[in-house]
Amino acid sequence: MKYDEFAFFNQQLAAMLRDGIPLEGALKRLCEEMHKGKLRDELQALEADLARGTPMTDALKPRQLPELYKRMILVGVKSGDLSGALTMLADYFQRQNNLWMRLKGLMVYPLIVLFVAFLLSFFISYLLSHFIWDSFKEISNLNEEFNSSGGSLTSAIASGVWMSPVCIGVVLVLVVIAVATSPARRKLRWKLPAFKEASLAQLASALSLMLKNGVPLGDALSFVEQLETGTRAEREIGQWRQRLAAGQGKFSEMAGAQAASPGSVFPPLFIWTVAQSGEDLKAGFERAAEIYHARAAYRVEMFIYSALPCAILALGAMIIAQIQPVVAAIMSFLNAFGSNT
């Protein structure tokens, strides 16, 4: 799903609702203007269910839409301010789209570098094995002294010439699997620095959005705990919720001690930022979301600026490592040729 398109759709839907257009009619009109795709199909199915008189809860349940979106739509309907909920959802998805588009670029860049390195290494290995090594074998057969002194080098070239492309290919396959597999992505995004900060910003934004719409803190924590099922954050959020249920109403009491423990997902800065808001936790989570959104964007920019020179150095080192045995064999041949003359 394209979150920028989804954000624009919700902005338009909120404006139409404020103008007094019924929800079913607004959905139908907007779907007619959308490009064909999964999002349009889901929204058309939602509109058809609502037109048949299906309750909003039952109409949303089978739809392949973000869980946070479905939850907030129900909250907006219950509170009587669906247009306001849609506006905040539009802002939320637009911010998430801007950040995660940068992070996707951060994932694509190493893949491109690895793929180029694999092609270059494969090409060099092909040249070495089909031209250089064959030439050395012929010379070795003609020159008995070189055969005794340099034959081992030609054998080393033959055995190790494909080592570099094989290793790079294995790394490339592993990276592709990690990027393409959903469980692997969910785990890695709480370990890699830029992705962890983006995840913190996304979680804080979701909590702030729900609290602004009147969702109790316990229910909001329970919901984000479900969203983070299978990740490192699930356990810590569950502990927050349990401490809240036990009567620890202040956020610093719920999460402060946990943040100081080694390996905690939520750093002390996150806890401190939220706790400084006092009773107004929605403002605290919003502030935390802004801070970690900016930190994630900064890390992405720093990586992009440093990636090109680092990639050039890595490719240069790879080329030198691959041709070094060939240079050694040439020097051995020259020494053997010089001793014969």
Side-chain angles (χ1 to χ4, degrees):
M1 180 182 297
K2 297 180 180 179
Y3 279 163
D4 55 345
E5 181 184 8
F6 195 39
F8 179 75
F9 164 82
N10 284 288
Q11 290 174 346
Q12 297 300 308
L13 182 58
M16 296 174 74
L17 292 178
R18 286 194 295 268
D19 292 339
I21 301 175
L23 178 59
E24 294 84 353
L27 282 172
K28 184 175 182 180
R29 184 182 302 181
L30 289 173
C31 288
E32 291 174 350
E33 299 174 357
M34 294 177 66
H35 296 290
K36 291 183 179 180
K38 183 179 179 180
L39 177 59
R40 178 182 175 181
D41 295 339
E42 293 294 333
L43 295 173
Q44 283 180 330
L46 176 62
E47 183 273 327
D49 288 341
L50 294 175
R52 288 194 294 267
T54 305
M56 179 65 79
T57 303
D58 297 333
L60 278 173
K61 189 174 182 180
R63 302 280 66 83
Q64 297 298 315
L65 297 171
E67 291 298 324
L68 177 63
Y69 180 79
K70 293 192 284 186
R71 174 65 64 92
M72 296 312 303
I73 289 296
L74 295 177
V75 171
V77 171
K78 185 178 180 179
S79 65
D81 187 19
L82 181 57
S83 62
L86 287 168
T87 300
M88 285 189 284
L89 282 167
D91 293 339
Y92 170 82
F93 284 112
Q94 187 61 57
R95 289 196 301 270
Q96 298 309 314
N97 176 76
N98 294 340
L99 181 57
W100 287 104
M101 284 298 292
R102 291 183 178 184
L103 292 173
K104 287 179 181 178
L106 189 63
M107 290 189 293
V108 169
Y109 196 92
L111 287 174
I112 294 176
V113 172
L114 282 172
F115 183 70
V116 171
F118 173 75
L119 292 181
L120 181 60
S121 179
F122 183 89
F123 177 71
I124 294 174
S125 297
Y126 180 82
L127 290 179
L128 294 178
S129 62
H130 287 76
F131 295 98
I132 305 298
W133 184 51
D134 289 342
S135 300
F136 272 112
K137 284 198 301 182
E138 294 178 2
I139 295 173
S140 178
N141 293 332
L142 295 175
N143 191 312
E144 294 183 356
E145 185 174 352
F146 179 75
N147 188 36
S148 59
S149 62
S152 59
L153 288 174
T154 58
S155 300
I157 296 174
S159 60
V161 70
W162 291 102
M163 183 64 68
S164 181
V166 169
C167 292
I168 296 175
V170 170
V171 173
L172 179 61
V173 170
L174 292 176
V175 172
V176 170
I177 292 174
V179 171
T181 306
S182 180
R185 289 201 309 269
R186 289 174 64 83
K187 292 181 180 180
L188 287 175
R189 70 183 179 89
W190 283 103
K191 295 181 179 180
L192 301 178
F195 292 90
K196 178 180 178 180
E197 285 154 349
S199 298
L200 288 169
Q202 183 177 15
L203 187 144
S205 295
L207 286 169
S208 175
L209 179 63
M210 286 187 283
L211 293 175
K212 284 181 180 179
N213 281 271
V215 179
L217 178 59
D219 294 343
L221 290 175
S222 178
F223 179 71
V224 295
E225 183 183 359
Q226 295 173 14
L227 292 180
E228 295 296 335
T229 299
T231 68
R232 297 175 61 196
E234 178 190 8
R235 179 179 57 84
E236 295 189 27
I237 297 172
Q239 293 176 356
W240 294 0
R241 182 176 51 79
Q242 292 171 6
R243 290 169 186 162
L244 177 65
Q248 298 180 356
K250 293 184 178 180
F251 187 78
S252 57
E253 296 176 350
M254 290 190 301
Q258 185 174 322
S261 62
S264 175
V265 171
F266 296 93
L269 176 61
F270 183 95
I271 305 301
W272 180 85
T273 302
V274 178
Q276 285 300 302
S277 64
E279 299 295 328
D280 189 12
L281 288 180
K282 59 181 179 294
F285 281 117
E286 185 175 8
R287 177 58 180 158
E290 293 174 356
I291 291 174
Y292 281 94
H293 185 282
R295 288 167 66 97
Y298 172 77
R299 286 186 181 273
V300 172
E301 295 296 329
M302 290 298 296
F303 177 85
I304 291 175
Y305 287 136
S306 62
L308 181 59
C310 290
I312 293 174
L313 290 175
L315 291 175
M318 180 200 72
I319 294 173
I320 292 174
Q322 268 191 285
I323 66 175
Q324 190 273 335
V326 178
V327 174
I330 293 175
M331 296 303 297
S332 178
F333 167 72
L334 292 178
N335 291 333
F337 183 78
S339 62
N340 288 338
T341 58

